[in-house]
């Protein structure tokens, strides 16, 4: 499968300046993709574009990954109804380091270069920038942007000169990388089309050369209609300190049947044959949710590594009764203890008292009733008497009802 065919099949085609997508199937190009350090982690919205970048690399194109130390000082106003708050310099520095580390993890084993646009902007004077860049950018082009028109309208919140000039900074990035690293293509999400085109125009005007843009559609939550972004409520982060490995895995495990078909293509490196085989089995028995299980494991493995993906998959299986709780290992227990109430059992604690401590019952009386009704399961076995002797040394998984859990340490 050629790159243009793969991008079309996976859903990575939106707009491009190429006269034909087949231009990607010729000799290797040097391209760049960038992320601004507006947070200390990327989200699954960024991950979709990163997956597209992986396909470019795997088909022989040369990747330059940009972390926007300079653009991050201003913040992209496109799509924002109000002025952004400026980030402190030390926060941007921490965010840059975190984003760079995520680049290294997601693109592990692939050839790529990392650059920071602050490196070429820090020595560029204001007057020099106006003469070398500003002189070549028509105001009509900048004023014509939809978000500028919206912000300048009577109902709009207005726009500062700093945010208005953001597009110039990104355009210069493309020009600099064209000159310094022979970059002739920028790949991006659909929301960066306007900024990217500005770079194409700047290269055309200043270098009398041709450059191109390839954009992918934004991934949208079909339930809420909102994109997977940093500022959206319920953002799913790649940093496990912001979205735990368990929560990350559960997000993919719980996607709807319509979305899972698209997400297997967008978010995994499985080839066409493997995905089609998975979907064929899935469509014959949707209740088994095989497609969601494959998706959750593959994406978690890519972002968090195989050992954590294995642990969270096994812990989830134990949690929902598909695997005996007695088979928990240390990695599984670590996953579960990060998500569930954890209670230490003292020598004198009864099982009903521990259920109350864990928040699984409101009183000893209620706990005893749950036990009598057969609603309490300890390490995969239904408890029939209020006897703490059912607890094993170490970590014990307690389940009350269908979806209430805790870990008891003994």
């Amino acid at each position: 499968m050629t790159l243009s065919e793969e991008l079309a099949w996976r859903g990575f085609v939106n707009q491009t300046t190429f006269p034909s997508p087949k231009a990607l199937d010729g000799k290797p190009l040097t391209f760049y993709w960038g992320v601004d350090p507006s947070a200390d982690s990327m989200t699954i919205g960024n991950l979709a574009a990163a997956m597209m970048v992986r396909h470019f690399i795997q088909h022989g194109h040369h990747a330059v990954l940009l972390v926007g130390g300079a653009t991050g000082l201003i913040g992209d106003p496109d799509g924002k109804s109000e002025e952004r708050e400026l980030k402190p310099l030390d926060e941007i520095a921490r965010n840059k380091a975190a984003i760079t580390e995520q680049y290294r993890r997601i693109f592990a084993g692939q050839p790529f270069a990392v650059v920071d646009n602050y490196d070429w902007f820090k020595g560029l004077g204001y007057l020099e920038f106006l003469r070398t860049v500003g002189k070549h950018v028509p105001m009509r082009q900048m004023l014509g942007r939809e978000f500028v028109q919206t912000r300048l309208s009577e109902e709009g919140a207005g726009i500062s000169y700093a945010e208005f000039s953001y597009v110039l900074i990104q355009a210069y990035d493309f020009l600099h990388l064209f000159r310094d690293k022979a970059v002739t293509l920028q790949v991006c999400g659909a929301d960066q089309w306007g900024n990217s085109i500005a770079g194409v125009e700047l290269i055309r005007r200043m270098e009398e050369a041709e450059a191109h843009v390839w954009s992918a559609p934004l991934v949208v939550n079909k339930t809420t209609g909102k994109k997977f972004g940093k500022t959206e409520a319920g953002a799913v982060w790649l940093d496990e300190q912001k979205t735990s490995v368990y929560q990350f895995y559960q997000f993919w495990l719980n996607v709807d049947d319509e979305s899972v078909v698209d997400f297997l293509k967008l978010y995994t490196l499985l080839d066409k044959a493997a995905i089609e085989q998975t979907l064929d089995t899935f469509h014959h028995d949707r209740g088994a949710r095989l497609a969601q299980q494959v998706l959750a494991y593959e994406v978690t493995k890519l972002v968090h590594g195989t050992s954590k993906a294995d642990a969270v998959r096994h812990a989830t299986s134990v949690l929902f009764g598909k695997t005996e709780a007695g088979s928990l290992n240390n990695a599984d227990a670590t996953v579960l203890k990060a998500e569930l109430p954890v209670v230490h059992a003292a020598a004198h604690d009864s099982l009903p008292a521990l259920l109350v401590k864990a928040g699984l019952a409101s009183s000893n009386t209620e706990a005893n009733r749950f036990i009598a009704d057969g609603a309490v399961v300890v390490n995969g076995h239904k408890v029939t008497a209020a006897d703490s002797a059912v607890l094993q040394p170490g970590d014990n998984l307690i389940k009350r009802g269908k979806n209430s859990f805790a870990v008891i340490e003994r």
Side-chain angles (χ1 to χ4, degrees):
M1 190 184 298
T2 65
L3 177 57
S4 63
E5 291 170 339
E6 178 141 35
L7 295 176
W9 175 72
R10 290 187 181 270
F12 287 122
V13 179
N14 184 57
Q15 290 176 283
T16 182
T17 55
F18 286 119
S20 168
K22 293 185 181 298
L24 297 177
D25 303 332
K27 64 180 182 179
L29 303 170
T30 301
F31 70 95
Y32 93 96
W33 172 65
V35 174
D36 275 352
S38 54
D40 59 358
S41 173
M42 292 189 280
T43 68
I44 58 173
N46 303 118
L47 181 61
M51 297 304 291
M52 178 175 68
V53 169
R54 288 228 17 172
H55 295 299
F56 272 81
I57 297 172
Q58 289 173 347
H59 280 268
H61 297 299
H62 308 303
V64 176
L65 307 180
L66 183 145
V67 56
T71 37
L73 292 172
I74 306 300
D76 188 356
D78 202 349
K80 306 300 177 187
S81 59
E82 296 182 349
E83 193 83 8
R84 288 175 178 265
E85 289 188 14
L86 296 178
K87 299 282 185 183
L89 298 183
D90 59 342
E91 181 180 342
I92 290 175
R94 289 194 301 272
N95 293 352
K96 285 196 300 184
I99 297 295
T100 301
E101 181 56 34
Q102 288 183 345
Y103 280 164
R104 295 195 174 104
R105 190 185 320 150
I106 294 169
F107 297 101
Q110 305 297 311
F112 64 90
V114 177
V115 296
D116 177 358
N117 59 9
Y118 183 73
D119 290 340
W120 54 83
F121 271 104
K122 63 186 178 183
L124 186 60
Y126 179 65
L127 291 177
E128 180 186 357
F129 185 71
L130 288 181
R131 285 179 63 86
T132 59
V133 178
K135 196 68 175 175
H136 297 276
V137 181
M139 282 296 295
R140 180 179 296 176
Q141 176 182 317
M142 297 179 67
L143 288 169
R145 300 286 297 280
E146 182 179 352
F147 80 90
V148 173
Q149 293 293 319
T150 300
R151 295 270 289 268
L152 292 178
S153 67
E154 290 185 7
E155 297 79 18
I159 186 169
S160 69
Y161 179 73
E163 287 200 355
F164 179 71
S165 302
Y166 179 94
V167 64
L168 297 182
I169 303 174
Q170 188 167 323
Y172 186 77
D173 286 343
F174 202 167
L175 175 66
H176 174 85
L177 292 172
F178 175 87
R179 290 170 169 172
D180 190 58
K181 295 189 177 297
V183 169
T184 58
L185 171 66
Q186 181 177 1
V187 300
C188 62
D191 57 343
Q192 291 297 308
W193 176 257
N195 290 339
S196 302
I197 287 295
V200 169
E201 285 296 306
L202 191 60
I203 290 169
R204 181 182 65 81
R205 290 171 179 272
M206 295 186 66
E207 299 294 317
E208 297 183 349
E210 189 177 279
H212 291 281
V213 179
W214 181 280
S215 72
L218 298 181
V219 181
V220 174
N221 184 321
K222 293 182 178 179
T223 302
T224 64
K226 295 183 177 180
K227 70 176 184 177
F228 290 157
K230 296 175 185 175
T231 55
E232 305 303 328
V236 180
W237 302 88
L238 306 192
D239 183 345
E240 64 181 281
Q241 300 303 315
K242 300 170 83 69
T243 299
S244 72
V245 180
Y246 176 84
Q247 292 166 344
F248 188 84
Y249 183 88
Q250 293 300 316
F251 171 83
W252 301 107
L253 197 61
N254 289 310
V255 302
D256 60 80
D257 289 351
E258 182 182 5
S259 298
V260 74
V261 176
D262 294 336
F263 290 173
L264 278 169
K265 297 175 183 178
L266 290 171
Y267 284 105
T268 78
L269 295 171
L270 297 175
D271 62 23
K272 186 176 182 180
I275 289 176
E276 288 180 345
Q277 182 178 355
T278 297
L279 291 177
D280 183 60
T281 305
F282 167 69
H283 290 312
H284 280 87
D285 182 11
R286 293 197 173 199
R289 299 182 69 77
L290 174 66
Q292 284 88 347
Q293 292 175 42
V294 171
L295 173 68
Y297 180 74
E298 290 295 326
V299 184
T300 305
K301 181 174 67 173
L302 178 75
V303 173
H304 295 293
T306 301
S307 61
K308 289 183 179 179
D310 288 340
V312 74
R313 179 170 63 177
H314 190 236
T316 298
S317 182
V318 169
L319 205 58
F320 294 100
K322 296 180 180 179
T323 302
E324 285 292 329
S327 64
L328 277 180
N329 57 36
N330 290 338
D332 304 333
T334 299
V335 169
L336 292 177
K337 289 164 76 172
E339 304 301 324
L340 304 177
V342 179
V343 174
H344 180 72
H348 63 276
D349 281 333
S350 67
L351 182 59
L354 289 169
L355 290 173
V356 174
K357 279 186 177 182
L360 300 183
S362 59
S363 65
N364 281 3
T365 300
E366 185 178 52
N368 278 304
R369 186 170 72 251
F370 287 147
I371 293 170
D373 291 343
V376 176
V377 175
V378 177
N379 296 327
H381 302 287
K382 189 176 291 186
V383 174
T384 56
D387 185 359
S388 61
V390 298
L391 299 176
Q392 303 170 353
D395 297 316
N396 296 264
L397 180 63
I398 312 297
K399 180 180 181 182
R400 195 268 295 162
K402 290 184 177 181
N403 296 304
S404 298
F405 303 92
V407 175
I408 306 294
E409 295 178 332
R410 187 177 186 187

